[in-house]
Amino acid sequence: MGSNTENLFFVLKHGGNKSLNYDTVTEAQNDGALTMNYGHFLVKVLNFSLLILVLFFIVKIYNRATRDHLLGKEKACDFCYKSIDIRAVKCPYCTSDQE
């Protein structure tokens, strides 16, 4: 977001000139007005949200890549059909012998 959004503010209490309109935050603060600068907060929240979204997709892609790699290392038990390691001699769930 541009600098226009960062400069959004709301005048809580007017300054010495009692000017009705301030064009910038610095103009209002130089006049002694009390301002709530919500534009800066909105930009920070949006940037944080975009960062979280990007990290979510990076983790999702990583998990998908590692899951596909691990799929070949497991098999189903012949008796209880639970997923076990392909090298297992006995099923850890039903203790049946594996071939």
Side-chain angles (χ1 to χ4, degrees):
M1 300 203 81
S3 62
N4 290 340
T5 305
E6 286 188 13
N7 290 331
L8 294 176
F9 66 98
F10 182 77
V11 177
L12 298 174
K13 183 179 178 185
H14 290 282
N17 282 340
K18 301 286 184 193
S19 176
L20 295 176
N21 293 327
Y22 298 107
D23 293 329
T24 63
V25 175
T26 54
E27 182 181 312
Q29 289 175 345
N30 288 341
D31 190 33
L34 181 62
T35 61
M36 181 172 64
N37 306 328
Y38 65 91
H40 188 68
F41 174 75
L42 290 176
V43 169
K44 294 296 181 184
V45 167
L46 183 65
N47 287 341
F48 178 75
S49 300
L50 290 174
L51 177 68
I52 293 300
L53 187 67
V54 167
L55 288 177
F56 170 77
F57 282 114
I58 288 173
V59 170
K60 187 173 182 178
I61 290 169
Y62 174 77
N63 285 339
R64 184 174 291 162
T66 57
R67 184 188 67 211
D68 291 342
H69 176 69
L70 294 175
L71 286 178
K73 294 187 176 185
E74 293 183 347
K75 66 177 182 177
C77 173
D78 296 331
F79 297 96
C80 68
Y81 301 106
K82 296 220 179 198
S83 181
I84 60 173
D85 193 294
I86 199 165
R87 299 169 296 169
V89 179
K90 280 192 174 268
C91 175
Y93 302 106
C94 67
T95 65
S96 64
D97 291 328
Q98 302 294 310
E99 294 178 7

Coordinates of all heavy atoms in Angstrom, one line a residue:
M1 N 0.8 -1.2 0.0 CA 0.0 0.0 0.0 C 0.9 1.2 0.0 O 2.0 1.2 0.6 CB -0.9 0.0 1.2 CG -1.8 -1.2 1.3 SD -3.3 -1.0 2.2 CE -4.3 -0.1 1.1
G2 N 0.4 2.3 -0.6 CA 1.2 3.5 -0.8 C 1.2 4.4 0.5 O 0.6 4.1 1.5
S3 N 1.9 5.4 0.3 CA 2.0 6.4 1.4 C 0.7 7.1 1.7 O 0.5 7.7 2.7 CB 3.1 7.4 1.1 OG 2.8 8.1 -0.1
N4 N -0.2 7.1 0.7 CA -1.5 7.8 0.9 C -2.3 7.0 2.1 O -2.9 7.7 2.9 CB -2.4 7.8 -0.3 CG -1.8 8.7 -1.4 OD1 -1.0 9.6 -1.0 ND2 -2.2 8.5 -2.6
T5 N -2.2 5.7 2.1 CA -2.9 5.0 3.1 C -2.2 5.2 4.5 O -2.9 5.3 5.5 CB -2.9 3.5 2.8 OG1 -3.4 3.3 1.5 CG2 -3.7 2.7 3.8
E6 N -0.9 5.3 4.5 CA -0.2 5.5 5.8 C -0.5 6.9 6.4 O -0.4 7.0 7.6 CB 1.3 5.4 5.6 CG 1.8 3.9 5.4 CD 3.3 3.8 5.4 OE1 4.0 4.8 5.8 OE2 3.7 2.7 5.0
N7 N -0.9 7.8 5.6 CA -1.2 9.2 6.1 C -2.6 9.4 6.5 O -3.0 10.5 6.8 CB -0.8 10.2 5.0 CG 0.7 10.3 4.8 OD1 1.4 10.1 5.8 ND2 1.1 10.6 3.6
L8 N -3.4 8.3 6.6 CA -4.8 8.5 7.1 C -4.8 8.7 8.6 O -4.1 8.0 9.3 CB -5.6 7.2 6.7 CG -5.8 6.9 5.3 CD1 -6.6 5.6 5.1 CD2 -6.7 8.0 4.6
F9 N -5.6 9.7 9.0 CA -5.6 10.0 10.4 C -7.0 10.6 10.7 O -7.7 11.0 9.9 CB -4.5 10.9 10.8 CG -4.6 12.3 10.2 CD1 -5.1 13.4 11.0 CD2 -4.2 12.6 8.9 CE1 -5.2 14.6 10.4 CE2 -4.2 13.8 8.4 CZ -4.8 14.9 9.1
F10 N -7.3 10.6 12.0 CA -8.5 11.2 12.5 C -8.2 12.2 13.6 O -7.4 11.9 14.5 CB -9.4 10.1 13.1 CG -10.7 10.5 13.5 CD1 -11.8 10.8 12.6 CD2 -11.0 10.7 14.9 CE1 -13.0 11.2 13.1 CE2 -12.2 11.1 15.3 CZ -13.2 11.4 14.4
V11 N -8.7 13.4 13.5 CA -8.4 14.4 14.5 C -9.3 14.2 15.8 O -10.6 14.2 15.6 CB -8.6 15.8 14.0 CG1 -8.4 16.9 15.0 CG2 -7.7 16.0 12.8
L12 N -8.7 13.9 16.9 CA -9.5 13.7 18.1 C -9.7 15.1 18.8 O -10.8 15.3 19.4 CB -8.7 12.8 19.1 CG -8.5 11.4 18.6 CD1 -7.6 10.6 19.5 CD2 -9.8 10.7 18.4
K13 N -8.7 16.0 18.8 CA -8.9 17.3 19.4 C -8.1 18.3 18.6 O -7.0 18.1 18.3 CB -8.3 17.2 20.8 CG -8.5 18.5 21.6 CD -7.9 18.4 23.0 CE -8.0 19.7 23.7 NZ -7.4 19.6 25.1
H14 N -8.8 19.3 18.2 CA -8.2 20.3 17.3 C -7.1 21.1 18.1 O -7.2 21.3 19.3 CB -9.2 21.3 16.7 CG -10.1 20.7 15.7 ND1 -9.7 20.4 14.5 CD2 -11.4 20.2 15.8 CE1 -10.6 19.8 13.8 NE2 -11.7 19.7 14.6
G15 N -6.2 21.7 17.3 CA -5.1 22.4 17.9 C -5.4 23.9 18.2 O -6.5 24.3 18.3
G16 N -4.3 24.7 18.2 CA -4.5 26.1 18.5 C -5.2 26.9 17.5 O -5.9 27.8 17.8
N17 N -5.1 26.6 16.2 CA -5.7 27.4 15.2 C -7.2 27.0 15.0 O -7.9 27.7 14.3 CB -5.1 27.2 13.8 CG -3.8 28.0 13.7 OD1 -3.6 29.0 14.4 ND2 -2.9 27.6 12.8
K18 N -7.6 25.9 15.6 CA -9.0 25.4 15.4 C -9.3 25.2 14.0 O -10.5 25.3 13.6 CB -10.0 26.3 16.1 CG -9.8 26.5 17.6 CD -10.2 25.3 18.4 CE -10.0 25.7 19.8 NZ -10.1 24.5 20.7
S19 N -8.3 24.8 13.2 CA -8.6 24.5 11.8 C -9.4 23.3 11.6 O -9.2 22.3 12.3 CB -7.2 24.3 11.1 OG -7.4 24.0 9.7
L20 N -10.4 23.4 10.7 CA -11.3 22.2 10.5 C -10.7 21.1 9.7 O -11.0 20.0 9.9 CB -12.6 22.7 9.9 CG -13.4 23.7 10.7 CD1 -14.6 24.2 9.9 CD2 -13.9 23.0 12.0
N21 N -9.8 21.5 8.8 CA -9.2 20.5 7.9 C -7.7 20.5 8.0 O -7.1 21.6 7.8 CB -9.7 20.7 6.5 CG -11.1 20.4 6.3 OD1 -11.7 19.6 7.0 ND2 -11.7 21.2 5.4
Y22 N -7.1 19.4 8.2 CA -5.6 19.3 8.1 C -5.4 18.3 7.0 O -6.0 17.3 6.9 CB -5.1 18.7 9.4 CG -5.3 19.5 10.7 CD1 -6.2 19.2 11.6 CD2 -4.5 20.7 10.9 CE1 -6.4 19.9 12.8 CE2 -4.7 21.5 12.0 CZ -5.6 21.1 12.9 OH -5.8 21.8 14.1
D23 N -4.4 18.7 6.2 CA -4.1 17.9 5.0 C -3.1 16.7 5.4 O -3.2 15.6 4.8 CB -3.5 18.7 3.9 CG -4.5 19.7 3.3 OD1 -5.7 19.3 3.3 OD2 -4.0 20.8 2.9
T24 N -2.2 16.9 6.3 CA -1.3 15.9 6.7 C -1.2 15.7 8.2 O -1.7 16.6 8.9 CB 0.1 16.2 6.2 OG1 0.6 17.4 6.8 CG2 0.2 16.4 4.6
V25 N -0.7 14.6 8.6 CA -0.5 14.4 10.0 C 0.5 15.4 10.6 O 0.2 15.9 11.7 CB 0.0 12.9 10.3 CG1 0.3 12.7 11.7 CG2 -1.0 11.9 9.7
T26 N 1.5 15.7 10.0 CA 2.5 16.6 10.5 C 1.9 18.0 10.6 O 2.2 18.7 11.6 CB 3.8 16.7 9.6 OG1 3.4 17.0 8.3 CG2 4.5 15.4 9.6
E27 N 1.1 18.4 9.7 CA 0.4 19.7 9.8 C -0.5 19.8 11.0 O -0.5 20.8 11.8 CB -0.4 20.0 8.5 CG -1.1 21.3 8.5 CD -2.0 21.4 7.2 OE1 -1.4 21.1 6.1 OE2 -3.1 21.8 7.3
A28 N -1.2 18.7 11.3 CA -2.1 18.7 12.5 C -1.3 18.6 13.7 O -1.6 19.3 14.7 CB -3.0 17.4 12.4
Q29 N -0.2 17.9 13.8 CA 0.6 17.8 15.0 C 1.4 19.1 15.2 O 1.6 19.5 16.4 CB 1.6 16.6 14.9 CG 0.9 15.3 15.0 CD 1.8 14.1 14.8 OE1 2.9 14.2 14.3 NE2 1.3 12.9 15.1
N30 N 1.8 19.8 14.2 CA 2.5 21.1 14.4 C 1.5 22.1 14.9 O 1.9 23.1 15.6 CB 3.1 21.6 13.0 CG 4.3 20.8 12.6 OD1 4.9 20.1 13.5 ND2 4.6 20.8 11.4
D31 N 0.2 22.0 14.6 CA -0.8 22.9 15.1 C -1.2 22.5 16.6 O -1.9 23.3 17.2 CB -2.0 22.8 14.2 CG -3.0 23.9 14.6 OD1 -2.6 25.0 15.0 OD2 -4.2 23.7 14.4
G32 N -0.7 21.4 17.0 CA -1.0 20.9 18.4 C -2.3 20.1 18.5 O -2.8 19.8 19.6
A33 N -2.7 19.6 17.4 CA -3.9 18.7 17.4 C -3.6 17.3 17.9 O -2.5 16.8 17.6 CB -4.5 18.7 16.0
L34 N -4.5 16.7 18.5 CA -4.4 15.3 18.9 C -5.0 14.4 17.8 O -6.1 14.6 17.5 CB -5.1 15.1 20.2 CG -5.0 13.7 20.8 CD1 -3.6 13.3 21.2 CD2 -5.9 13.6 22.1
T35 N -4.2 13.5 17.3 CA -4.6 12.7 16.1 C -4.5 11.2 16.4 O -3.7 10.8 17.3 CB -3.8 13.0 14.9 OG1 -2.4 12.7 15.2 CG2 -3.9 14.4 14.5
M36 N -5.3 10.4 15.8 CA -5.2 9.0 15.8 C -4.8 8.6 14.4 O -5.6 8.7 13.5 CB -6.6 8.3 16.2 CG -6.5 6.8 16.3 SD -7.9 6.0 17.0 CE -9.2 6.5 15.8
N37 N -3.6 8.1 14.3 CA -3.1 7.7 13.0 C -3.4 6.3 12.6 O -2.5 5.4 12.8 CB -1.6 8.0 12.9 CG -1.2 9.4 13.4 OD1 -2.0 10.3 13.1 ND2 -0.1 9.5 14.0
Y38 N -4.6 6.0 12.1 CA -5.0 4.6 11.9 C -4.5 4.1 10.5 O -4.4 2.9 10.3 CB -6.5 4.5 11.9 CG -7.3 5.3 10.9 CD1 -7.6 4.7 9.7 CD2 -7.6 6.6 11.1 CE1 -8.3 5.3 8.7 CE2 -8.3 7.3 10.1 CZ -8.6 6.6 8.9 OH -9.3 7.3 7.9
G39 N -4.0 4.9 9.6 CA -3.5 4.5 8.3 C -2.3 3.6 8.5 O -2.1 2.6 7.8
H40 N -1.4 4.0 9.4 CA -0.1 3.3 9.6 C -0.5 1.9 10.2 O 0.1 0.9 9.8 CB 0.8 4.1 10.5 CG 2.1 3.5 10.7 ND1 3.1 3.5 9.7 CD2 2.7 2.9 11.8 CE1 4.2 3.0 10.1 NE2 4.0 2.6 11.4
F41 N -1.4 1.9 11.1 CA -1.8 0.6 11.7 C -2.4 -0.4 10.6 O -2.1 -1.5 10.5 CB -2.9 0.8 12.8 CG -3.5 -0.4 13.3 CD1 -2.7 -1.2 14.2 CD2 -4.8 -0.8 13.0 CE1 -3.3 -2.4 14.7 CE2 -5.3 -1.9 13.5 CZ -4.6 -2.8 14.3
L42 N -3.2 0.2 9.7 CA -3.8 -0.6 8.6 C -2.8 -1.2 7.7 O -2.9 -2.4 7.3 CB -4.8 0.2 7.8 CG -6.1 0.6 8.5 CD1 -7.0 1.5 7.6 CD2 -6.9 -0.6 8.9
V43 N -1.8 -0.4 7.4 CA -0.7 -0.9 6.5 C 0.1 -2.0 7.2 O 0.4 -3.0 6.6 CB 0.2 0.3 6.1 CG1 1.5 -0.2 5.5 CG2 -0.5 1.2 5.2
K44 N 0.3 -1.9 8.5 CA 1.1 -2.9 9.2 C 0.3 -4.2 9.3 O 0.8 -5.3 9.1 CB 1.4 -2.5 10.6 CG 2.4 -1.3 10.7 CD 3.7 -1.8 10.1 CE 4.7 -0.6 10.1 NZ 6.0 -0.9 9.5
V45 N -1.0 -4.1 9.5 CA -1.9 -5.3 9.6 C -2.0 -6.0 8.3 O -1.9 -7.2 8.2 CB -3.3 -4.9 10.1 CG1 -4.3 -6.1 9.9 CG2 -3.3 -4.5 11.6
L46 N -2.1 -5.2 7.2 CA -2.1 -5.8 5.9 C -0.8 -6.5 5.5 O -0.8 -7.6 5.0 CB -2.5 -4.8 4.8 CG -2.6 -5.3 3.4 CD1 -3.8 -6.2 3.3 CD2 -2.8 -4.1 2.4
N47 N 0.3 -5.9 5.8 CA 1.6 -6.5 5.6 C 1.8 -7.8 6.3 O 2.3 -8.7 5.8 CB 2.7 -5.5 5.9 CG 2.8 -4.4 4.9 OD1 2.3 -4.5 3.8 ND2 3.5 -3.3 5.3
F48 N 1.4 -7.8 7.6 CA 1.5 -9.0 8.4 C 0.6 -10.1 7.9 O 1.0 -11.2 7.8 CB 1.1 -8.6 9.9 CG 1.1 -9.8 10.8 CD1 2.3 -10.3 11.2 CD2 -0.1 -10.4 11.2 CE1 2.3 -11.4 12.1 CE2 -0.1 -11.5 12.0 CZ 1.1 -12.0 12.5
S49 N -0.6 -9.7 7.4 CA -1.5 -10.7 6.9 C -1.0 -11.3 5.6 O -1.0 -12.6 5.4 CB -2.9 -10.1 6.6 OG -3.5 -9.6 7.8
L50 N -0.4 -10.5 4.8 CA 0.2 -11.0 3.5 C 1.4 -11.9 3.8 O 1.6 -13.0 3.2 CB 0.7 -9.9 2.6 CG -0.5 -9.1 2.0 CD1 0.0 -7.9 1.2 CD2 -1.3 -10.0 1.1
L51 N 2.2 -11.6 4.8 CA 3.4 -12.4 5.2 C 2.9 -13.8 5.7 O 3.4 -14.8 5.4 CB 4.2 -11.7 6.3 CG 5.4 -12.5 6.9 CD1 6.4 -12.6 5.8 CD2 5.9 -11.8 8.1
I52 N 1.9 -13.8 6.6 CA 1.3 -15.0 7.1 C 0.8 -15.9 6.0 O 1.0 -17.1 6.0 CB 0.2 -14.7 8.2 CG1 0.9 -14.1 9.4 CG2 -0.5 -16.0 8.6 CD1 1.9 -14.9 10.1
L53 N 0.1 -15.3 5.0 CA -0.4 -16.0 3.9 C 0.7 -16.7 3.1 O 0.6 -17.8 2.7 CB -1.3 -15.1 3.0 CG -2.1 -15.7 1.9 CD1 -3.1 -16.6 2.4 CD2 -2.7 -14.7 1.0
V54 N 1.7 -15.9 2.8 CA 2.9 -16.5 2.0 C 3.5 -17.6 2.8 O 3.8 -18.7 2.2 CB 3.9 -15.4 1.7 CG1 5.2 -15.9 1.2 CG2 3.3 -14.4 0.7
L55 N 3.7 -17.4 4.1 CA 4.3 -18.5 4.9 C 3.4 -19.7 5.0 O 3.9 -20.9 5.0 CB 4.6 -18.0 6.3 CG 5.8 -17.0 6.5 CD1 5.9 -16.5 7.9 CD2 7.1 -17.7 6.0
F56 N 2.1 -19.5 5.0 CA 1.2 -20.7 5.0 C 1.4 -21.5 3.8 O 1.4 -22.7 3.8 CB -0.2 -20.2 5.1 CG -1.3 -21.2 4.9 CD1 -1.6 -22.1 5.9 CD2 -2.0 -21.3 3.7 CE1 -2.5 -23.1 5.7 CE2 -2.9 -22.3 3.5 CZ -3.2 -23.2 4.5
F57 N 1.4 -20.8 2.6 CA 1.6 -21.6 1.3 C 2.9 -22.2 1.2 O 3.1 -23.3 0.7 CB 1.3 -20.7 0.1 CG -0.2 -20.5 -0.1 CD1 -0.8 -19.2 0.1 CD2 -1.0 -21.5 -0.4 CE1 -2.1 -19.0 -0.1 CE2 -2.4 -21.4 -0.6 CZ -2.9 -20.1 -0.4
I58 N 4.0 -21.6 1.8 CA 5.3 -22.2 1.7 C 5.3 -23.5 2.6 O 5.8 -24.5 2.1 CB 6.4 -21.2 2.2 CG1 6.6 -20.2 1.2 CG2 7.7 -22.0 2.6 CD1 7.5 -19.0 1.7
V59 N 4.7 -23.5 3.8 CA 4.6 -24.7 4.6 C 3.8 -25.7 4.0 O 4.1 -26.9 4.0 CB 4.1 -24.3 6.0 CG1 3.8 -25.5 6.8 CG2 5.2 -23.4 6.7
K60 N 2.7 -25.3 3.3 CA 1.8 -26.3 2.7 C 2.5 -27.0 1.5 O 2.4 -28.2 1.4 CB 0.5 -25.5 2.2 CG -0.5 -26.4 1.6 CD -1.8 -25.6 1.3 CE -2.8 -26.6 0.8 NZ -4.1 -25.9 0.5
I61 N 3.3 -26.2 0.7 CA 4.0 -26.8 -0.4 C 5.1 -27.8 0.2 O 5.3 -28.9 -0.3 CB 4.6 -25.8 -1.3 CG1 3.5 -25.1 -2.0 CG2 5.6 -26.3 -2.2 CD1 3.9 -23.8 -2.8
Y62 N 5.8 -27.4 1.2 CA 6.8 -28.2 1.9 C 6.2 -29.5 2.4 O 6.8 -30.6 2.2 CB 7.5 -27.4 3.0 CG 8.5 -28.3 3.7 CD1 9.7 -28.6 3.2 CD2 8.2 -28.8 5.0 CE1 10.6 -29.4 3.9 CE2 9.0 -29.6 5.7 CZ 10.3 -29.9 5.2 OH 11.1 -30.6 5.8
N63 N 5.1 -29.4 3.1 CA 4.4 -30.6 3.6 C 4.0 -31.5 2.5 O 4.1 -32.8 2.7 CB 3.2 -30.2 4.5 CG 3.7 -29.7 5.8 OD1 4.8 -29.9 6.3 ND2 2.8 -28.9 6.5
R64 N 3.5 -31.0 1.5 CA 3.0 -31.8 0.3 C 4.2 -32.5 -0.3 O 4.1 -33.7 -0.6 CB 2.3 -31.0 -0.7 CG 1.8 -31.8 -1.8 CD 0.9 -31.0 -2.8 NE -0.3 -30.6 -2.1 CZ -1.1 -29.7 -2.5 NH1 -0.8 -28.9 -3.5 NH2 -2.2 -29.4 -1.8
A65 N 5.3 -31.8 -0.4 CA 6.5 -32.4 -1.0 C 7.1 -33.5 -0.1 O 7.5 -34.6 -0.6 CB 7.6 -31.4 -1.3
T66 N 7.1 -33.3 1.2 CA 7.7 -34.4 2.1 C 6.7 -35.5 2.2 O 7.1 -36.7 2.4 CB 8.0 -33.8 3.4 OG1 6.9 -33.2 4.0 CG2 9.1 -32.8 3.3
R67 N 5.4 -35.3 2.2 CA 4.4 -36.4 2.3 C 4.5 -37.3 1.1 O 4.5 -38.5 1.2 CB 3.0 -35.8 2.4 CG 2.0 -36.9 2.6 CD 0.6 -36.3 2.5 NE 0.4 -35.9 1.2 CZ -0.4 -34.9 0.8 NH1 -1.1 -34.2 1.7 NH2 -0.6 -34.6 -0.5
D68 N 4.7 -36.7 -0.1 CA 4.8 -37.6 -1.3 C 6.0 -38.4 -1.2 O 6.0 -39.5 -1.7 CB 4.8 -36.7 -2.5 CG 3.4 -36.0 -2.8 OD1 2.4 -36.5 -2.2 OD2 3.4 -35.1 -3.6
H69 N 7.1 -37.9 -0.6 CA 8.3 -38.6 -0.5 C 8.2 -39.8 0.5 O 8.7 -40.9 0.3 CB 9.4 -37.7 0.0 CG 10.7 -38.4 0.2 ND1 11.5 -38.9 -0.8 CD2 11.4 -38.6 1.4 CE1 12.6 -39.5 -0.3 NE2 12.5 -39.3 1.0
L70 N 7.4 -39.6 1.5 CA 7.2 -40.6 2.5 C 6.2 -41.7 2.2 O 6.1 -42.8 2.8 CB 6.8 -40.0 3.9 CG 7.8 -39.1 4.5 CD1 7.2 -38.5 5.8 CD2 9.0 -39.9 4.9
L71 N 5.4 -41.5 1.2 CA 4.3 -42.4 0.8 C 4.9 -43.8 0.4 O 4.3 -44.8 0.6 CB 3.4 -41.9 -0.3 CG 2.5 -40.8 0.1 CD1 1.7 -40.3 -1.1 CD2 1.5 -41.3 1.2
G72 N 6.0 -43.8 -0.2 CA 6.6 -45.0 -0.7 C 7.2 -45.9 0.4 O 7.7 -47.0 0.2
K73 N 7.3 -45.4 1.7 CA 8.0 -46.1 2.8 C 7.0 -46.8 3.7 O 7.4 -47.3 4.7 CB 8.8 -45.1 3.6 CG 10.0 -44.5 2.8 CD 10.9 -43.7 3.7 CE 12.1 -43.2 2.9 NZ 13.0 -42.5 3.7
E74 N 5.7 -46.8 3.3 CA 4.7 -47.4 4.2 C 3.9 -48.4 3.4 O 3.8 -48.3 2.2 CB 3.8 -46.4 4.9 CG 4.6 -45.5 5.9 CD 3.6 -44.5 6.6 OE1 2.5 -44.4 6.1 OE2 4.1 -44.0 7.6
K75 N 3.3 -49.4 4.1 CA 2.4 -50.3 3.5 C 1.3 -50.6 4.5 O 1.4 -50.3 5.7 CB 3.1 -51.6 3.1 CG 3.6 -52.4 4.3 CD 4.3 -53.7 3.9 CE 4.7 -54.5 5.1 NZ 5.3 -55.8 4.8
A76 N 0.2 -51.3 4.0 CA -0.9 -51.6 4.9 C -0.6 -53.0 5.4 O -0.2 -53.9 4.7 CB -2.2 -51.6 4.1
C77 N -1.0 -53.2 6.7 CA -0.9 -54.5 7.4 C -1.9 -55.4 6.7 O -3.0 -55.0 6.3 CB -1.2 -54.3 8.8 SG -1.4 -55.9 9.7
D78 N -1.5 -56.7 6.5 CA -2.4 -57.6 5.8 C -3.6 -58.0 6.6 O -4.6 -58.5 6.1 CB -1.6 -58.9 5.5 CG -0.4 -58.6 4.5 OD1 -0.6 -57.7 3.7 OD2 0.6 -59.3 4.6
F79 N -3.6 -57.8 7.9 CA -4.7 -58.2 8.8 C -5.5 -57.0 9.3 O -6.7 -57.1 9.2 CB -4.1 -59.0 10.0 CG -3.4 -60.3 9.5 CD1 -2.1 -60.3 9.3 CD2 -4.2 -61.4 9.2 CE1 -1.5 -61.5 8.9 CE2 -3.6 -62.6 8.8 CZ -2.2 -62.6 8.6
C80 N -4.9 -56.0 9.8 CA -5.6 -54.9 10.4 C -5.7 -53.7 9.5 O -6.4 -52.7 9.7 CB -5.1 -54.4 11.8 SG -3.5 -53.7 11.7
Y81 N -4.9 -53.7 8.4 CA -4.9 -52.7 7.3 C -4.5 -51.3 7.8 O -4.8 -50.3 7.2 CB -6.3 -52.6 6.6 CG -6.7 -53.9 6.0 CD1 -7.7 -54.7 6.6 CD2 -6.1 -54.3 4.8 CE1 -8.0 -55.9 6.0 CE2 -6.4 -55.5 4.3 CZ -7.4 -56.3 4.8 OH -7.8 -57.5 4.3
K82 N -3.8 -51.2 8.9 CA -3.2 -50.0 9.4 C -1.9 -49.7 8.6 O -1.2 -50.7 8.2 CB -3.0 -50.0 10.9 CG -4.3 -50.1 11.6 CD -4.2 -49.2 12.8 CE -5.5 -49.4 13.5 NZ -5.8 -48.4 14.4
S83 N -1.5 -48.5 8.5 CA -0.3 -48.1 7.8 C 0.9 -48.4 8.7 O 1.0 -47.9 9.8 CB -0.3 -46.7 7.5 OG 0.8 -46.3 6.8
I84 N 1.9 -49.2 8.2 CA 3.1 -49.6 8.9 C 4.3 -49.4 8.0 O 4.1 -49.2 6.8 CB 3.0 -51.0 9.4 CG1 2.9 -52.0 8.3 CG2 1.9 -51.2 10.4 CD1 3.0 -53.4 8.7
D85 N 5.5 -49.3 8.6 CA 6.7 -49.2 7.8 C 6.9 -50.4 6.9 O 6.5 -51.5 7.3 CB 7.9 -49.1 8.8 CG 9.2 -48.6 8.1 OD1 9.7 -49.4 7.3 OD2 9.6 -47.5 8.4
I86 N 7.4 -50.1 5.7 CA 7.6 -51.2 4.7 C 8.6 -52.3 5.2 O 8.5 -53.4 4.8 CB 8.0 -50.6 3.4 CG1 7.7 -51.6 2.3 CG2 9.4 -50.2 3.4 CD1 7.7 -51.0 0.9
R87 N 9.5 -51.9 6.1 CA 10.5 -52.9 6.6 C 10.0 -53.7 7.8 O 10.7 -54.5 8.3 CB 11.8 -52.1 7.0 CG 12.4 -51.4 5.8 CD 13.5 -50.5 6.3 NE 12.9 -49.4 7.1 CZ 13.5 -48.6 7.8 NH1 14.8 -48.6 7.9 NH2 12.9 -47.7 8.6
A88 N 8.8 -53.4 8.3 CA 8.3 -54.1 9.5 C 8.2 -55.6 9.3 O 7.7 -56.1 8.3 CB 7.0 -53.5 9.9
V89 N 8.5 -56.3 10.4 CA 8.4 -57.8 10.4 C 7.1 -58.1 11.1 O 6.4 -59.1 10.8 CB 9.6 -58.4 11.1 CG1 9.5 -59.9 11.1 CG2 10.9 -58.0 10.4
K90 N 6.7 -57.3 12.1 CA 5.5 -57.5 12.9 C 4.7 -56.2 12.9 O 5.3 -55.1 13.0 CB 5.8 -58.0 14.3 CG 6.1 -59.4 14.5 CD 6.0 -59.7 16.0 CE 6.2 -61.2 16.2 NZ 4.9 -61.9 16.3
C91 N 3.4 -56.3 12.8 CA 2.6 -55.1 12.9 C 2.6 -54.6 14.3 O 2.3 -55.4 15.3 CB 1.2 -55.4 12.4 SG 0.0 -54.0 12.6
P92 N 2.8 -53.3 14.6 CA 2.8 -52.8 16.0 C 1.4 -52.7 16.5 O 1.2 -52.5 17.7 CB 3.5 -51.4 15.8 CG 3.3 -51.0 14.4 CD 3.3 -52.3 13.6
Y93 N 0.4 -52.8 15.7 CA -1.0 -52.6 16.1 C -1.6 -54.0 16.5 O -2.2 -54.1 17.5 CB -1.8 -51.9 15.1 CG -1.3 -50.5 14.7 CD1 -0.6 -50.3 13.5 CD2 -1.4 -49.5 15.6 CE1 -0.1 -49.1 13.2 CE2 -0.9 -48.2 15.3 CZ -0.3 -48.0 14.1 OH 0.2 -46.8 13.8
C94 N -1.5 -54.9 15.6 CA -2.1 -56.2 15.9 C -1.1 -57.4 16.1 O -1.5 -58.5 16.3 CB -3.1 -56.6 14.7 SG -2.2 -56.9 13.2
T95 N 0.1 -57.1 16.0 CA 1.2 -58.0 16.3 C 1.2 -59.2 15.4 O 1.7 -60.3 15.7 CB 1.3 -58.5 17.7 OG1 0.1 -59.3 18.0 CG2 1.4 -57.3 18.7
S96 N 0.7 -59.1 14.2 CA 0.7 -60.2 13.2 C 2.0 -60.2 12.4 O 2.6 -59.1 12.2 CB -0.5 -60.1 12.3 OG -0.4 -58.9 11.5
D97 N 2.4 -61.4 12.0 CA 3.7 -61.5 11.2 C 3.4 -60.9 9.8 O 2.4 -61.1 9.2 CB 4.1 -62.9 11.1 CG 4.6 -63.4 12.5 OD1 5.2 -62.6 13.2 OD2 4.5 -64.6 12.7
Q98 N 4.4 -60.2 9.3 CA 4.3 -59.6 7.9 C 5.2 -60.4 7.0 O 6.2 -61.0 7.4 CB 4.7 -58.2 8.0 CG 3.9 -57.3 8.9 CD 2.4 -57.2 8.4 OE1 2.2 -56.9 7.2 NE2 1.5 -57.5 9.3
E99 N 4.9 -60.4 5.7 CA 5.7 -61.2 4.8 C 6.8 -60.3 4.2 O 6.7 -59.1 4.1 CB 4.8 -61.6 3.6 CG 3.8 -62.7 4.1 CD 2.9 -63.1 3.0 OE1 3.1 -62.7 1.8 OE2 2.0 -63.8 3.2

